[in-house]
Amino acid sequence: SQSARMATIIAACPTLRRPMRPPLLLQLSVFQLAAYMLKRKAFPAPGDWRREVLLTPDGGEVGLDWYRGDGGKGKGNGGSGAGKLMTAIAGLAPDAPILCVMHTLTGTADDFVELAGEATLQGFRTVACLRRGHLGTPLKTARFNLLGSVADLEVQLASIQRSYPMAPLFGYGESAGTGLGVRYCGETRDQCAFKALICVCPGYDTTEGGAFSRFEP
């Protein structure tokens, strides 16, 4: 069964109704993963981010990395692609929607350069919400959560809303970041700052015997 709301969303997104047809040599997921890793190794795409460090009530540090471009890569289209992207960034209005990225277990903002570029071209401002321990500096306090903290995320979202009070916020969680996003939405309920949350590769079971049981000690 499908809710009326979900039917409306699917009807408004043609890409959700198109079948995925990868090239012949990339039919299997293992080959897709190998191609992805080779692409990341051969064609790294460092982005240009503006770092904003925030203090939490207990003295810890979290960060916001604001996307400012792809370092001139132009999404693989040379100078014209870079120019188009920079024009889109410069044209973002103060009330442009903001995509708040919650990264993976060991992720950084540079893992989302391609996503940020595509989102920018669609009219979104992108910011990566960096958890404690992901700023490249020593931890300030003994408090740490591998999958993120709702309280820390609230500090980040409050700062974003102060900077852009008229902009709607949308959440994007990937892998471990989905757990933080779902927990935040569940705990805040009607006070949730996100208009919508996107979960990619969600981790459904992080308990003993679940996802982490596949890691070697």
Side-chain angles (χ1 to χ4, degrees), residues 63-82:
L64 295 174
D65 273 2
W66 294 92
Y67 182 67
R68 299 192 298 190
D70 63 357
K73 297 293 183 181
K75 295 169 77 291
N77 296 322
S80 61

Side-chain angles (χ1 to χ4, degrees), residues 104-123:
T104 58
L105 197 65
T106 59
T108 66
D110 275 340
D111 295 331
F112 301 95
V113 171
E114 292 181 347
L115 170 68
E118 292 292 347
T120 300
L121 295 177
Q122 296 298 321

